Amino acid sequence: MIKRRHLRGSLLIELLLVCTLVALFLPFLVVALVRLQERHLLVQTYQDQQVIKAAIEAHFQAQWSRLVPASCLVDESLFLTIESGMSPPLRLATRTIDKESDWLRAVDYGLCRGTVTVHSNPLETSLSCHWKAGDHVRFSSCESQYQGQILNVSAHKSRIELEGGEFSEQAIGQSGVVESQDEFYWYISEGKGGQNAFWRTPKESGNSLELWSGIERLSVFPLLDGNLDGKVDVLDTGYGQFSLANVRGLWVEYQYRLHDCKSERETPFAQDYRSMRGETWRYFSPCQGVGNHIIVLKGM
């Protein structure tokens, strides 16, 4: 009986000791697990950042890779415009343009594009396009280039008249590229979800389109070939009109926010990015990020 009581007493002491040890080490274990989870979420967030950055840059590429027409020689009268959000265009007077971002006005050459041989003027093409009667198009070959207008569109073909009177008759017999011309404004403004977004508005008429929610800030710089030797000479940090004959590409800087940030911190980590224009962008990692990207318009 004494042995049994002694055994029970020993077990009780051991149990109390185990409970004491658990009580001592449990807080440390919980903290370690929480930190491990936070580290895992942080890694996931930075992985999400890389995915989002790649998607944003692919989107910029899709929007702006056709800002130069498909021709051997670019008409020197063609240009694109880059301006500050501090000076919004009249077309966007009803929108609140982000004052810290740039806006771009340019023509998307070739949202619809295909090869044709001109047998007559007007000419016909079986291209299935978004264009409609009255829209302007371009025909370009290595010999020449012509403006044209859509006369009518049916389910199977489009009829296009090249402009220029007797001069346009010289296009007969030439093979080249016919392409649509759609002029837009691209800019940063408040999106439908309440945060800044990347928008596009047709120059003349039509509805504005929210392209990407979460792009908070944008700067655009032309990469210029001043002596037309095929190489970039300068990254221009100014504003104004830039001849397409000199523009080889665009340097794009942007700030973005993750919609579903897995690592929200009570005290976000503030970081600074120095823009090519000498501006300091303050953003809070890891739920915000900054990126830059080159859009090639002509071989560099």
Side-chain angles (χ1 to χ4, degrees):
M1 183 67 107
I2 295 175
K3 289 183 179 180
R4 189 174 297 174
R5 288 178 179 173
H6 180 72
L7 180 60
R8 288 178 180 175
S10 298
L11 290 173
L12 182 59
I13 293 173
E14 290 178 3
L15 181 60
L16 290 173
L17 181 60
V18 169
C19 291
T20 302
L21 292 174
V22 169
L24 287 173
F25 288 104
L26 184 60
F28 297 101
L29 181 61
V30 170
V31 170
L33 289 174
V34 169
R35 288 180 178 175
L36 183 62
Q37 184 181 28
E38 287 178 348
R39 186 171 299 177
H40 175 68
L41 291 176
L42 186 60
V43 170
Q44 278 193 304
T45 300
Y46 282 116
Q47 289 175 342
D48 290 346
Q49 273 196 9
Q50 296 306 310
V51 172
I52 291 297
K53 282 181 67 175
I56 290 174
E57 290 169 4
H59 186 73
F60 284 139
Q61 189 74 31
Q63 288 292 317
W64 290 336
S65 61
R66 299 182 300 267
L67 299 188
V68 173
S71 59
C72 297
L73 297 174
V74 179
D75 188 342
E76 292 186 358
S77 66
L78 303 179
F79 59 87
L80 58 80
T81 302
I82 300 171
E83 287 289 351
S84 166
M86 297 290 290
S87 305
L90 290 176
R91 174 75 172 100
L92 305 179
T94 60
R95 306 200 63 84
T96 304
I97 308 300
D98 182 66
K99 290 181 171 55
E100 295 183 331
S101 296
D102 297 343
W103 56 265
L104 171 69
R105 171 186 160 186
V107 177
D108 183 338
Y109 295 97
L111 184 58
C112 184
R113 177 183 287 171
T115 57
V116 296
T117 298
V118 181
H119 297 293
S120 63
N121 187 26
L123 63 93
E124 292 183 350
T125 176
S126 58
L127 282 172
S128 177
C129 292
H130 68 287
W131 56 40
K132 61 187 181 299
D135 285 354
H136 292 281
V137 297
R138 290 177 64 87
F139 170 75
S140 303
S141 69
C142 282
E143 290 80 19
S144 52
Q145 48 195 334
Y146 305 87
Q147 285 289 335
Q149 188 175 39
I150 305 296
L151 296 180
N152 54 68
V153 179
S154 68
H156 304 289
K157 63 183 179 181
S158 301
R159 199 158 179 260
I160 303 170
E161 182 175 25
L162 300 182
E163 301 170 353
E166 294 181 359
F167 175 71
S168 65
E169 299 302 315
Q170 298 177 20
I172 295 176
Q174 294 186 27
S175 295
V177 175
V178 63
E179 56 190 359
S180 57
Q181 298 182 130
D182 300 286
E183 191 164 5
F184 296 106
Y185 290 98
W186 286 271
Y187 55 95
I188 300 296
S189 183
E190 183 177 330
K192 298 174 183 177
Q195 60 183 230
N196 272 3
F198 184 44
W199 287 80
R200 185 185 75 187
T201 296
K203 176 182 177 290
E204 298 298 337
S205 62
N207 296 326
S208 299
L209 179 64
E210 182 178 337
L211 299 171
W212 196 290
S213 177
I215 298 181
E216 300 181 311
R217 189 168 180 174
L218 178 69
S219 287
V220 185
F221 308 89
L223 299 168
L224 302 179
D225 174 10
N227 56 12
L228 301 179
D229 64 351
K231 299 179 182 179
V232 173
D233 300 315
V234 64
L235 182 152
D236 197 318
T237 59
Y239 292 113
Q241 293 184 348
F242 302 92
S243 171
L244 293 188
N246 301 107
V247 178
R248 311 294 302 185
L250 298 175
W251 172 269
V252 183
E253 298 177 327
Y254 60 95
Q255 181 176 306
Y256 63 95
R257 177 182 296 275
L258 298 180
H259 285 298
D260 183 21
C261 187
K262 297 181 177 64
S263 184
E264 289 281 7
R265 296 177 173 177
E266 292 184 3
T267 306
F269 178 47
Q271 291 184 280
D272 290 336
Y273 173 80
R274 191 72 169 174
S275 166
M276 284 291 186
R277 206 169 270 123
E279 302 163 336
T280 299
W281 297 8
R282 172 61 59 91
Y283 65 100
F284 297 92
S285 183
C287 295
Q288 286 179 302
V290 167
N292 48 56
H293 183 58
I294 293 178
I295 310 286
V296 178
L297 303 182
K298 291 180 286 186
M300 293 190 292

